[in-house]
């Protein structure tokens, strides 16, 4: 590290932070629930946010399954009576999100707006800040956005297949190890900032702090685009992230400038 570098490491979530998934992952989730409830129920954006605010439904396949179960429970059916195959849920979801062609991405993934530009990551590098990604997205989906859309060369990434789901902090620790493998910190451990858009992301930081209290862990919340349509939604969502442990909440990840990082630590 050069002597002017900022002593911080930033790890980014991807969905809702690097790319807007309201018209892709969330749309695929709603399609899946609608399909498996025989058109009985299509969750709204608010329904999905409410589920995510519970802090344990980071995996959208499991979230789809949970909403299907809850729908049938309103019809007085117990979970044991509901015969839905998890693998079928995953396959249907993926056919919407990735598309039906197994060799080419033709689904909703192709239309995800980007929420940060490579120039922003270059700014961090110039400030001596190391950065990487820890996401609950599949490796294929995460790699597609990072390498093909953003043009990053083999970025540090821990994806769904590499670690337990959030809020388990194992994946955060693994990302950190990859980013620090060649630095001798002595006793000076740089602060770790995790940037995410959900309650589960903030819980992950809290769990990391209780597992490894000898380091500084900072949760930074980012408001995903779909909650920014009304000030009421915005405020409620920001409040839920703060309650879950976010030190600050931003409208866009690129507001987390080197200057702001220096202030945070």
């Amino acid at each position: 590290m050069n002597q002017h570098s900022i002593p911080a490491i930033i790890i980014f979530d991807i969905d809702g932070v690097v790319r807007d998934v309201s018209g892709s992952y969330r749309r695929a989730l709603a399609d899946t629930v609608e399909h498996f409830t025989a058109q009985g129920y299509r969750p709204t954006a608010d329904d999905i946010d409410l589920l995510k605010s519970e802090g344990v439904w980071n995996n959208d396949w499991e979230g789809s399954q949970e909403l299907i179960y809850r729908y049938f429970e309103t019809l007085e059916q117990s979970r044991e009576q509901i015969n839905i195959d998890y693998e079928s849920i995953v396959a249907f979801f993926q056919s919407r999100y990735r598309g039906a062609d197994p060799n080419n991405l033709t689904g909703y993934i192709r239309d995800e707006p980007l929420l940060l530009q490579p120039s922003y990551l270059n700014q961090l590098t110039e400030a001596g800040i190391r950065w990487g990604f820890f996401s609950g997205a599949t490796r294929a989906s995460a790699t597609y956005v990072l390498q093909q859309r953003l043009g990053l060369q083999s970025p540090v990434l821990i994806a769904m297949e590499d670690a337990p789901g959030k809020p388990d902090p194992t994946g955060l620790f693994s990302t950190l190890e990859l980013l620090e493998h060649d630095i001798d910190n002595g006793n000076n451990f740089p602060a770790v900032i995790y940037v995410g858009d959900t309650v589960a992301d903030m819980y992950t930081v809290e769990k990391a702090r209780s597992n490894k209290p000898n380091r500084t862990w900072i949760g930074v919340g980012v408001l995903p685009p779909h909650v920014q349509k009304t000030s009421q939604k915005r405020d409620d969502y920001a409040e839920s992230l703060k309650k879950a442990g976010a030190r600050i909440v931003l409208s866009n990840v690129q507001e987390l400038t080197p200057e702001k990082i220096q202030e945070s630590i």
Side-chain angles (χ1 to χ4, degrees):
M1 290 201 167
N2 64 54
Q3 58 191 13
H4 302 299
S5 69
I6 297 172
I9 285 175
I10 301 197
I11 298 172
F12 299 98
D13 177 34
I14 293 177
D15 302 333
V17 175
V18 174
R19 60 178 170 194
D20 177 4
V21 294
S22 52
S24 57
Y25 266 125
R26 286 168 157 264
R27 187 177 166 196
L29 190 159
D31 286 357
T32 304
V33 175
E34 185 175 47
H35 176 78
F36 285 93
T37 58
Q39 279 63 54
Y41 169 52
R42 183 178 180 86
T44 63
D46 289 350
D47 293 341
I48 297 170
D49 284 337
L50 203 58
L51 182 77
K52 298 263 181 194
S53 73
E54 294 172 20
V56 290
W57 305 106
N58 197 61
N59 177 322
D60 286 333
W61 301 335
E62 291 172 3
S64 301
Q65 182 181 45
E66 182 62 18
L67 287 177
I68 295 162
Y69 275 143
R70 291 184 189 184
Y71 167 75
F72 283 113
E73 284 174 337
T74 66
L75 304 180
E76 310 289 299
Q77 292 185 36
S78 71
R79 295 192 177 211
E80 293 68 43
Q81 293 170 290
I82 304 159
N83 191 12
I84 45 170
D85 172 46
Y86 182 68
E87 293 311 315
S88 306
I89 290 174
V90 173
F92 183 87
F93 185 106
Q94 292 297 81
S95 75
R96 288 294 201 267
Y97 179 67
R98 291 176 60 97
D101 178 347
N103 303 313
N104 292 294
L105 296 172
T106 56
Y108 302 154
I109 187 173
R110 292 176 63 85
D111 305 319
E112 294 169 331
L114 294 174
L115 300 173
L116 67 71
Q117 297 307 317
S119 54
Y120 166 69
L121 297 170
N122 294 340
Q123 272 180 29
L124 299 181
T125 303
E126 281 162 21
I129 297 166
R130 294 184 176 219
W131 47 267
F133 302 90
F134 165 43
S135 169
T138 63
R139 181 160 279 276
S141 167
T143 303
Y144 173 74
V145 68
L146 298 179
Q147 297 190 356
Q148 278 163 267
R149 301 279 312 279
L150 283 169
L152 305 179
Q153 301 297 314
S154 52
V156 165
L157 166 67
I158 294 291
M160 179 197 273
E161 297 88 337
D162 309 318
K166 296 180 254 187
D168 186 309
T170 307
L172 196 58
F173 298 148
S174 306
T175 315
L176 189 57
E177 269 169 44
L178 292 172
L179 288 166
E180 286 192 313
H181 72 98
D182 61 343
I183 343 178
D184 175 15
N185 287 320
N187 291 322
N188 299 325
F189 291 109
V192 184
I193 298 174
Y194 186 49
V195 187
D197 70 316
T198 65
V199 166
D201 294 328
M202 298 307 114
Y203 285 169
T204 306
V205 178
E206 299 289 305
K207 285 183 185 288
R209 187 180 296 119
S210 54
N211 276 9
K212 301 194 180 210
N214 60 333
R215 286 195 89 121
T216 302
W217 300 92
I218 299 169
V220 171
V222 171
L223 296 171
H226 75 273
V227 303
Q228 300 196 41
K229 295 188 173 121
T230 70
S231 55
Q232 184 62 53
K233 264 201 178 123
R234 227 191 123 90
D235 296 348
D236 291 349
Y237 200 94
E239 191 50 43
S240 72
L241 290 176
K242 285 184 176 152
K243 260 198 191 121
R247 182 171 302 180
I248 51 171
V249 176
L250 308 171
S251 301
N252 176 273
V253 59
Q254 296 181 137
E255 293 169 18
L256 190 64
T257 57
E259 296 69 37
K260 200 163 206 104
I261 292 159
Q262 184 73 68
E263 284 165 29
S264 304
I265 57 177

